[in-house]
Amino acid sequence: MPSSTRRARERARTRDRIVEVALHVLETEGAAALTIRRIAAEVEYTAPVVYQHFANKDALVLELIAHGYDLMLAQARRIADEEPDVDRRVLRVAREYVRFAGEHPSLYQAMNDSAVDADARRRAAQPTVDLLLELLTTWSDAHGVVLADHADACEIVWGTLYGIASLGHFDTIGGQRAQRLAEQALGAILLGWRGQGGG
Amino acid sequence: MPSSTRRARERARTRDRIVEVALHVLETEGAAALTIRRIAAEVEYTAPVVYQHFANKDALVLELIAHGYDLMLAQARRIADEEPDVDRRVLRVAREYVRFAGEHPSLYQAMNDSAVDADARRRAAQPTVDLLLELLTTWSDAHGVVLADHADACEIVWGTLYGIASLGHFDTIGGQRAQRLAEQALGAILLGWRGQGGG
DNA sequence: TTAGAAGATCTAACGTCGTTAGAAACGAGG
DNA sequence: CCTCGTTTCTAACGACGTTAGATCTTCTAA
């Protein structure tokens, strides 16, 4: 068994630890604490080793973002799978989105930080957006609602959730209220789409 | 005439020029280019002068944010005043919000940058939020719609606009489409609120 | 008219950041 | 044992926000 495979294994292990530690620092101390030197110290290396695994800080942050969407997507799927009612399914997934934003504020903010390349962010979000599109399609089918454009409808809901979830970070609003608001907003939108021919 | 008043005038003038130049750099070259040294160079001073007028960079950025909301509020009022129809008034103001976000992308992103103190940002936004609340109140009165909670409704619309406007910064969506989406979203929400007793 | 106070501005530096070059240490193979 | 490739470290670069202290200007008052 060539020792090069063990080398590769160790390399991968270190890479994983970097991501793990970076996520931990981000979530517990916020974006300002997430520095290369801090991450290196946390995995008991010096700063330059990080660059052996990531081209630059942005690449590392993008990995955290991807991880964030993986988490969010998993939770959303869990909710979607356990709720049989089509309407409540959408509402509960919406609420879950906002709950996630409240439970992982710094990670969520990183996932939507305009300093990070927009296209890369969107790519990371795409699978979750796709799930939403799926939910909306089955919803409109179930009610015989003909949406003018499914993609438009999906973007509207995605944007709405994002905006309302962001409100939760204000002290005057808070995560709980944001969850309620998201549910109300989606309730109103879906009702509106049923009310007419979804335009 | 004491010369101290001229001193004060010159001081104020320099302060204004700093804000002016900072805004220009932000809008034309983005947040990454907005550094204290850059601003100082632009007004033909050295960096420390800036600190004679602003406690720190955040304070300066907050002033830019406040200016941004002033602009946005003025435009929104203009639209609101010239549109007699209650429904179209809300929709057009919504579209204007998103248009503003598309016309001043970097400024708009600064206005919602989570790195800036959330409460201060909210305070800067408050007058614009108040206008929105006003619009929604006259809208619900005009249609005899009893909203469960006007403040909730306002936050929902505010959050929705913010989220959909942010979508416009993705290449795959763009400002034009975001404007349409915002109008559609608000159309659906308002229709939903009319459809039932606004809960 | 000039001494000194008050204010404006500059130079120089500190500590931190992301990032890179090059030296040193380490491991495996001949 | 010695060499080679890899891993890791030290040291540094340039840029950032920010501050201390010196210098230079301008006004006031004797």
Side-chain angles (χ1 to χ4, degrees), chain B residues 59-108:
Chain B
L60 169 53
V61 169
L62 261 173
E63 193 122 336
L64 301 185
I65 290 174
H67 180 78
Y69 277 112
D70 282 352
L71 264 178
M72 177 187 275
L73 179 56
Q75 299 286 341
R77 266 204 230 283
R78 207 177 49 74
I79 303 276
D81 287 349
E82 85 182 28
E83 175 59 61
D85 184 82
V86 216
D87 288 82
R88 296 182 42 156
R89 198 184 303 161
V90 178
L91 295 188
R92 285 188 58 192
V93 167
R95 199 181 188 106
E96 167 58 26
Y97 178 102
V98 179
R99 196 197 58 75
F100 179 92
E103 197 172 23
H104 309 276
S106 295
L107 177 57
Y108 181 76

Side-chain angles (χ1 to χ4, degrees), chain A residues 109 112-114 118-119 121-122 148-149 151-153 155-160 162-164 166-167 169-173 177 180-182 184-185 187-193 195-196 198-199, chain B residues 109 112-114 118-119 121-122 148-149 151-153 155-160 162-164 166-167 169-173 177 180-182 184-185 187-193 195-196 198-199:
Chain A
Q109 275 159 18
N112 297 102
D113 184 356
S114 58
D119 286 356
R121 257 158 52 215
R122 179 69 189 204
D149 184 326
D152 279 4
E155 297 297 350
I156 285 174
V157 171
W158 182 251
T160 300
Y162 163 56
I164 293 183
S166 302
L167 293 182
H169 299 128
F170 292 109
D171 285 347
T172 53
I173 297 190
R177 183 160 169 231
R180 266 184 28 237
L181 292 176
Q184 288 176 235
I189 290 177
L190 295 185
L191 199 62
W193 281 340
Q196 60 164 15
Chain B
Q109 275 159 18
N112 297 102
D113 184 356
S114 59
D119 287 356
R121 256 158 53 214
R122 178 69 188 205
D149 185 324
D152 279 5
E155 298 297 350
I156 285 173
V157 172
W158 182 252
T160 300
Y162 163 56
I164 293 182
S166 302
L167 292 182
H169 299 130
F170 292 108
D171 285 346
T172 53
I173 297 191
R177 182 159 170 231
R180 267 184 26 238
L181 292 176
Q184 288 176 233
I189 290 178
L190 295 184
L191 199 62
W193 281 340
Q196 60 164 14

Side-chain angles (χ1 to χ4, degrees), chain A residues 43-119:
Chain A
V43 294
E44 297 182 298
Y45 279 115
T46 53
V49 272
V50 175
Y51 292 89
Q52 220 107 45
H53 301 277
F54 299 93
N56 48 42
K57 193 187 177 183
D58 279 4
L60 169 52
V61 169
L62 260 174
E63 193 122 336
L64 301 185
I65 290 174
H67 179 78
Y69 277 112
D70 282 353
L71 264 178
M72 177 187 274
L73 179 56
Q75 298 287 338
R77 264 204 231 282
R78 207 177 47 75
I79 302 275
D81 287 347
E82 86 183 27
E83 176 59 61
D85 183 81
V86 216
D87 288 83
R88 297 183 41 155
R89 197 184 304 160
V90 178
L91 295 188
R92 285 188 58 192
V93 167
R95 197 180 189 104
E96 168 57 26
Y97 178 102
V98 180
R99 196 197 59 75
F100 179 92
E103 197 173 22
H104 308 278
S106 295
L107 177 57
Y108 182 76
Q109 275 159 18
M111 288 157 72
N112 297 102
D113 184 356
S114 58
V116 180
D117 178 65
D119 286 356

